[in-house]
Amino acid sequence: MSLVELEESGPQDAQTAWPGLLRVQPRSILALTVAALGLAWLAVSLIDVAGLIDISGDVPLWLSLFNEGIVEVVQWILNALAVVAAGYIAGRLAGGRYAGGASFFFVLSIGLALILIEEAGNVRLALAEYLGAMFGGEILGMHPHVVGAAPVYAVLAFFPVYALLRYGKYVWRAPTARWYLVLTYCLYAGSQLAALTSHLAGVWYAKAGNAVNELIFGGGLPPLPNVSQGVTDYFIVDSLVEETIELLAVATMLAMILAYIHDVRRGAVPVPRSPDRDQAST
C-alpha cells in the first residue's frame, strides 16, 4: 500500500486537497521509526558486542550512533516536520468548524519549536554547566544538572501541557488521533522526567545503564575511553535508551498530527451543529 492515500471526501474544511506529505499514513511513520531503531540496536549488538565488523573510532558505535548521531538527527528532522505540520493545521483550520483543534495545534507548534531548539542546542546542559562553574558541584543540595534543567523543562512543558488541558478535548474527538495523543504525551513525559531526575538517587542513570548493559547486552558494550565505568553506564541510558524513547515520542507526535488530518479528511471528527460553537467554546 502506498504511504500516501487517495484524497477522500469529507467536510467542507477537508475537501480541498491537503499537501501530499500531510496525507502520509500515521502508522507508516511509526513503523519506519521502529524498524530504524531496531536496525540501530541490531548494529550495536553485531558491531560493538559481537565484533562481527571492525569499525575503528574514538568512541563506540552505541554512542556515536545515538548521541547526536543519526538517531538524534532523525529526531530533529521529525520534530521540525511536526512543527510545520502542526502550524499548517492551525492556519488552515482556524476560524472554521475545527477551530478548537486548530488552537490545539497552534499552541503545540510553539512548544514543539522550543523543544527542537533545546534538543539541537542542548540549552539545559549549557545552563547546568554555567551554574556548576559558578556555584560548584552542588546547589541547594542538588546537582547543577537538576537545577539547570528544571526551569528549561518548565518552559518546554508549558505549551504542550496548556494545549492538552485547554484544547485537548477537540483532538480527543478524532478517533484515530486520540490514541496517538495519549501515547506521545506519555512518552514525552516519561523521557523528560527521567532526564530531569537523571542525577538524583545517586545518579540513577548510571545504575540503570549498568542494568541495561548486563541484561540486554550481557555486559558486552565497550566502555567509553578515558572515563570511569560509572560514566559509561550513565551514557548508556543517556544515549541508547533516552534517544530511543525520544525518537519514538516525536515519531508518535508526528503520527498524531497526521492522524488528526486523516480523521478530518474522512469526516470522522464530530462537527458542532453551529460552525462557530467549537470556536466559541475555546
Side-chain angles (χ1 to χ4, degrees), residues 1-265:
M1 179 182 294
S2 172
L3 293 181
V4 179
E5 298 180 315
L6 295 176
E7 187 67 28
E8 300 166 303
S9 60
Q12 182 178 356
D13 292 307
Q15 285 179 355
T16 305
W18 289 73
L21 289 177
L22 297 184
R23 290 185 282 122
V24 172
Q25 286 277 12
R27 61 178 176 269
S28 300
I29 299 295
L30 270 186
L32 290 173
T33 301
V34 171
L37 284 170
L39 289 175
W41 279 70
L42 179 61
V44 169
S45 298
L46 295 178
I47 296 173
D48 277 345
V49 179
L52 295 183
I53 302 175
D54 183 17
I55 298 181
S56 58
D58 296 332
V59 295
L61 180 66
W62 64 262
L63 184 73
S64 61
L65 194 60
F66 284 81
N67 195 327
E68 297 190 0
I70 296 175
V71 172
E72 192 164 11
V73 170
V74 171
Q75 181 190 142
W76 300 341
I77 294 172
L78 293 183
N79 197 329
L81 290 174
V83 172
V84 174
Y88 182 86
I89 295 177
R92 176 160 178 167
L93 300 182
R97 65 187 70 193
Y98 300 113
S103 297
F104 173 87
F105 287 108
F106 172 71
V107 178
L108 182 66
S109 67
I110 298 174
L112 290 175
L114 292 176
I115 290 173
L116 177 59
I117 293 171
E118 198 289 319
E119 287 289 344
N122 286 325
V123 176
R124 70 184 187 277
L125 297 181
L127 181 58
E129 291 177 2
Y130 175 76
L131 292 175
M134 285 187 62
F135 300 104
E138 189 172 286
I139 303 172
L140 300 175
M142 293 181 289
H143 194 281
H145 179 95
V146 179
V147 178
V152 175
Y153 279 124
V155 173
L156 295 181
F158 174 78
F159 290 97
V161 170
Y162 179 79
L164 181 65
L165 297 179
R166 185 72 175 85
Y167 304 110
K169 60 184 178 181
Y170 301 111
V171 180
W172 187 258
R173 294 174 180 173
T176 307
R178 69 176 59 157
W179 304 115
Y180 290 108
L181 177 71
V182 172
L183 183 56
T184 190
Y185 269 81
C186 288
L187 287 171
Y188 264 114
S191 65
Q192 301 311 302
L193 182 61
L196 175 62
T197 61
S198 61
H199 284 75
L200 298 180
V203 190
W204 72 269
Y205 257 34
K207 300 176 182 178
N210 178 264
V212 169
N213 190 13
E214 293 295 333
L215 295 176
I216 298 179
F217 300 102
L221 288 178
L224 298 178
N226 305 319
V227 298
S228 67
Q229 184 60 43
V231 173
T232 293
D233 292 338
Y234 175 92
F235 275 100
I236 289 174
V237 173
D238 186 71
S239 300
L240 268 171
V241 179
E242 184 178 304
E243 297 304 333
T244 293
I245 296 174
E246 288 183 353
L247 180 54
L248 287 173
V250 72
T252 309
M253 178 68 75
L254 181 57
M256 182 269 292
I257 297 170
L258 296 175
Y260 184 81
I261 295 172
H262 173 77
D263 286 339
V264 167
R265 288 175 53 234

